[in-house]
Structure formats: structure tokens, C-alpha cells
Amino acid sequence: NDFNKHISIGFTPTLTTWNVDVIELLKKFQEVNLGMSVECFHSVNDYVRYPSNINKVTDTMHKWIDVANKQGWLIQIRTTPTILTIRHLVTVFEFAYNNNISVESCNFLDHPRYMRPTVLPASYRAEVIESIDTWLKDKTQSNSTVINTRDPNQAKLQVVQDAQSYLNYLKNQPDEIVKILKKKGFPDSTIEKMMEKMKTWGIAFIIGATLGMILEKEIIVREIQKDCSVLLAFRINDLPYTCKPYLTK
């Protein structure tokens, strides 16, 4: 009846709870593949994973890492970068690299289209590109591709590989917001003025909501109003993005 000793089990916790009974149960299996899900190590994660708290999430992740290392489990960080989290993606790479854990982002987000990182105008992408490029400068890189992304011996190279793939993606993909606005009939002069007025990172969420209504006909502004107090997570120069217009309606 010891079937569990011949079974490999894999799962992905959101790092919002810690259950000792579950840990003890997992120890009974032959092998565990653990994928720890987080979007970034920044308060923005609190919004996209509401009502999580990044400090508690980080503490829980360290607990999982400690148990996994003692039990010989295979571990990864799993993330899905979007327009809301791409600015802080480098925090995932940094944490993973320092803890010798690979990062599995599976693929570049395609749907919903308004959440793609490439919805960000090129000028806003430049800041993300610079942060990833700077992070990569002192990292060892390889010309060969890491195939087994769960191999702990290849973890650091795999993280670098994933960071490089996002760097190339952000550098080479077209500016989708300009393309969409042109398709909707906005003249170049109007688009140029709109781009000039986008001075804060908080506006990125509004861009996504607007494109959501254009592309998917989903009224996301209602969600902005409902969760507006949480939008304070979006900051530039440590100043909160204001939700006052929505909160007073």
C-alpha cells in the first residue's frame, strides 16, 4: 500500500498560506516538484495578488525553500509578467539568482491582450530594458540553451537565460498602444500628445484598462473603482498614484 513512495507530485502554491500538515504529507512522496508563484518582490504584487502581502509572501517562500532543500525537492519560481508587473520583473531574477532557483515564466503573455507587457509605449519599456540590461551585465552567460529548467545545477544560467529572453522581447516587439490607436483612427499628432502626457507609471494600468475596452469590450474601469485603494501600490519616485477621481464618484 506504499504507493506514495513511487509517486512524484508537483504543485504551485501562491505563498499566501503555510500549512504544516500539508508539508508533512508531501514528505511521504517519492519526489516533489515545487513551483512557487509570485509576480514580483514589490508591493505591486499585493495588488495583482490581492489580498497578499509581499513581506509575508517572501517569508513563506523562504520556508518552502528551506523545506525543499532539506528534502531534496526540485523548486522553481513561476511568474507571468504583465503590463502591471514588468517594471519589477528584475526583482524576481535577483531573488532567484541569489537563492539558486530557476524561473519558469512559461511563455510571453498573449491573452488578455491588454495585459501584454508590449502594451507599454516604447518610452516606458526603456526603463525596464535598462534595469534588466544592468542586472545582466555582471552575470555569467552561456551560448548553449538550458533545456532542463529544473536542474538545480543549471539554475543560475537558466535565470540569466530567462532574463535575456525578456530583454530581447521588450527590445524587439512593436509598440502596441500606438498601433492600436492608429487603427482606431487617432491622428499622429494626437497620439504624440497622448504619449507626452503619460508621465507616471500608474497610468499604465489605465492604458491597459482602455485597451481592454477597445480590444476585449470588458469594462475594467469598474474594477479600478472597486479596488482603487489598492492601486496605491503603483508608485513613481515613491509617490502614490492618485485614485481620488474614482473614489469620489
Side-chain angles (χ1 to χ4, degrees), residues 1-243:
N1 295 325
D2 294 333
F3 290 136
N4 54 293
K5 295 181 180 179
H6 305 283
I7 294 176
S8 295
I9 187 170
F11 73 110
T12 304
T14 58
L15 307 171
T16 54
T17 61
W18 180 257
N19 190 313
V20 176
D21 291 338
V22 172
I23 307 301
E24 293 305 313
L25 181 61
L26 289 169
K27 291 178 180 179
K28 299 180 183 297
F29 288 90
Q30 179 187 34
E31 182 182 69
V32 173
N33 290 277
L34 174 65
M36 300 174 292
S37 184
V38 67
E39 300 308 330
C40 60
F41 291 92
H42 185 275
S43 56
V44 168
N45 192 80
D46 298 349
Y47 174 73
V48 295
R49 293 292 185 84
Y50 181 79
S52 68
N53 177 281
I54 191 57
N55 293 325
K56 293 180 179 179
V57 165
T58 305
D59 288 343
T60 303
M61 181 175 283
H62 279 297
K63 290 180 181 179
W64 277 114
I65 293 171
D66 185 54
V67 171
N69 287 336
K70 290 178 180 177
Q71 297 298 317
W73 296 345
L74 296 176
I75 54 177
Q76 289 181 309
I77 293 178
R78 290 182 178 163
T79 185
T80 305
T82 69
I83 187 175
L84 303 181
T85 60
I86 192 71
R87 185 188 182 200
H88 303 288
L89 179 59
V90 74
T91 64
V92 176
F93 297 141
E94 178 72 4
F95 184 96
Y97 192 89
N98 290 340
N99 289 277
N100 199 45
I101 303 170
S102 61
V103 175
E104 184 179 40
S105 51
C106 294
N107 210 334
F108 304 119
L109 181 72
D110 189 52
H111 292 285
R113 287 177 287 180
Y114 54 84
M115 294 293 283
R116 294 175 186 168
T118 47
V119 167
L120 280 175
S123 58
Y124 289 89
R125 278 196 247 169
E127 182 181 341
V128 185
I129 289 170
E130 182 180 3
S131 69
I132 297 176
D133 199 25
T134 299
W135 185 82
L136 282 169
K137 286 188 184 303
D138 64 346
K139 304 298 185 297
T140 301
Q141 301 191 37
S142 173
N143 293 325
S144 59
T145 302
V146 177
I147 304 299
N148 182 7
T149 60
R150 298 185 180 185
D151 182 358
N153 297 315
Q154 299 289 314
K156 279 185 165 58
L157 286 177
Q158 190 279 329
V159 174
V160 170
Q161 177 179 288
D162 201 69
Q164 186 64 57
S165 71
Y166 268 94
L167 181 65
N168 296 338
Y169 169 72
L170 292 168
K171 281 183 175 180
N172 300 324
Q173 288 299 305
D175 190 333
E176 292 197 58
I177 188 169
V178 172
K179 180 173 67 176
I180 294 300
L181 291 173
K182 284 185 176 181
K183 187 176 180 180
K184 297 303 293 184
F186 288 92
D188 289 346
S189 58
T190 300
I191 294 174
E192 185 176 342
K193 290 178 181 178
M194 290 171 69
M195 296 299 104
E196 181 63 26
K197 289 181 180 179
M198 294 176 185
K199 296 298 184 181
T200 70
W201 266 87
I203 203 67
F205 189 86
I206 308 302
I207 295 171
T210 302
L211 285 180
M213 289 183 283
I214 292 174
L215 299 174
E216 309 289 350
K217 297 182 175 62
E218 295 182 17
I219 310 302
I220 302 172
V221 170
R222 293 177 184 172
E223 295 302 312
I224 298 176
Q225 184 173 352
K226 183 177 68 175
D227 293 332
C228 206
S229 60
V230 189
L231 271 173
L232 295 177
F234 291 93
R235 300 174 185 275
I236 182 167
N237 298 327
D238 294 325
L239 297 175
Y241 171 70
T242 178
C243 289

